[in-house]
Amino acid sequence: MEFSQQLAAHQARIEEALAACVQEFPAHGQLKEAMGYSLLSGGKRIRPVLVLEVCRLFGGQVEQALPFACALEMVHTYSLIHDDLPCMDDDDLRRGKPTCHKVYGEALAVLAGDGLLTAAFGVLSGAALAPEQICRGTACLAKAAGPAGMVGGQVLDLLGEGKDLEYQEIVAIESLKTGCMIEAAARLGAIAAGSTQAQEEAAADYARKIGLAFQVRDDVLDVLGDQEELGKPIGSDQEKEKSTFVALKGVEACERLIQELTQAAVEQLRPYPGSGFLCSLARQLASRTK
């Protein structure tokens, strides 16, 4: 199956599974509606796709990895809801639609994010996998999402506003804020497949490289992207006085860095038969315009 068809198949499977998760949410006021509004608002679904494809690469059953994939996407969506709040990035648009707090108010948006975060671990625990795999998956996602990962990165990002940060400081922020969840996607897929430690580490290294390339591309798009195509405002990094890869290195150097990271990611998986999809995914993310 060619890349675009395989990607569409993964995305369709994920959308169906996420919709089923939403149906299980209790209808307390507009809570279920707000959670579903953000969770089912589209997006590239890169993280859950990584879970499924890494699982497939190492001989696992994709259907068994779906709860891991859905749990990861629920945690990612919670983080977007909270990032968009006035006390954080104060964004009005997400994926071309009004952000959750613009539709449901700040209080319900906070609770919708909280609901997705906690419900995610219930979904993860229901995977048809061995208890040891579920335990490892839970620990993996908790570490990536918490103070040692995404939350810690967000704090460092806020502290860095208005400061001239060095390259390694920006890398450290983005590795925690964005990279940890992308790495967790690869590790969750490997765990679901029952892979070897060497296989898991290879997938994690691939994910770290495409995660950093993904963020560098985001910085470029914040300068050169099309707001309508991106579905969110551009120029927000400069407005918030954030140190970015583009501000530090310039667009041309960033483009070279993206290509170097992408090629290194591809080389990491080249020894594994059937890695063509993940190699193509890395190249597509490197050239994305939204």
Side-chain angles (χ1 to χ4, degrees):
M1 187 184 297
E2 66 177 43
F3 172 76
S4 59
Q5 291 176 314
Q6 194 166 342
L7 177 61
H10 280 323
Q11 290 169 330
R13 188 178 288 112
I14 290 160
E15 294 299 333
E16 183 179 353
L18 289 173
C21 290
V22 170
Q23 290 305 310
E24 297 299 317
F25 297 155
H28 298 308
Q30 289 184 294
L31 178 62
K32 176 177 179 175
E33 183 182 326
M35 292 168 71
Y37 175 82
S38 293
L39 185 61
L40 304 179
S41 65
K44 295 177 284 293
R45 307 298 192 199
I46 297 304
R47 292 159 188 82
V49 165
L50 270 175
V51 176
L52 300 188
E53 187 58 26
V54 170
C55 179
R56 184 207 62 78
L57 176 66
F58 295 139
Q61 297 298 314
V62 168
E63 290 298 324
Q64 290 183 313
L66 266 175
F68 280 16
C70 289
L72 182 71
E73 188 69 0
M74 290 165 71
V75 173
H76 173 59
T77 302
Y78 122 77
S79 74
L80 299 181
I81 294 174
H82 284 195
D83 277 355
D84 291 336
L85 289 168
C87 62
M88 300 285 274
D89 289 347
D90 194 16
D91 285 326
D92 295 342
L93 289 176
R94 171 71 64 178
R95 294 168 179 165
K97 297 168 58 179
T99 48
C100 190
H101 71 272
K102 283 294 180 181
V103 178
Y104 297 99
E106 290 181 40
L108 192 57
V110 169
L111 292 170
D114 292 345
L116 286 168
L117 171 62
T118 48
F121 287 94
V123 171
L124 189 153
S125 68
L129 294 167
E132 189 268 342
Q133 289 170 290
I134 292 173
C135 185
R136 287 179 60 205
T138 300
C140 174
L141 183 54
K143 181 179 179 181
M150 183 173 60
V151 172
Q154 182 66 21
V155 170
L156 293 178
D157 190 37
L158 291 170
L159 291 173
E161 289 184 6
K163 298 178 181 177
D164 294 325
L165 301 180
E166 299 294 330
Y167 174 74
Q168 289 302 330
E169 292 177 300
I170 301 174
V171 170
I173 290 171
E174 300 305 343
S175 295
L176 292 174
K177 184 181 175 183
T178 303
C180 275
M181 289 288 284
I182 294 177
E183 179 181 341
R187 289 191 182 277
L188 286 170
I191 291 167
S195 69
T196 66
Q197 189 63 37
Q199 289 171 329
E200 181 179 333
E201 292 306 323
D205 190 58
Y206 160 89
R208 281 192 293 270
K209 289 179 170 62
I210 68 166
L212 185 54
F214 187 93
Q215 188 55 53
V216 178
R217 173 60 66 198
D218 258 5
D219 287 357
V220 171
L221 291 176
D222 192 66
V223 175
L224 302 179
D226 180 87
Q227 180 169 314
E228 185 173 342
E229 187 174 8
L230 285 171
K232 61 180 180 180
I234 62 170
S236 58
D237 288 338
Q238 184 175 3
E239 183 180 328
K240 295 181 177 71
E241 298 184 322
K242 288 188 176 183
S243 291
T244 66
F245 292 106
V246 170
L248 190 65
K249 299 173 76 69
V251 171
E252 289 187 10
C254 283
E255 292 287 1
R256 290 194 296 273
L257 178 58
I258 291 167
Q259 295 307 316
E260 289 168 5
L261 288 165
T262 300
Q263 185 58 37
V266 168
E267 291 300 324
Q268 187 65 49
L269 290 187
R270 196 179 295 280
Y272 295 96
S275 63
F277 176 91
L278 289 171
C279 294
S280 295
L281 178 64
R283 295 188 183 100
Q284 187 195 64
L285 293 176
S287 61
R288 68 190 172 92
T289 57
K290 60 181 180 178

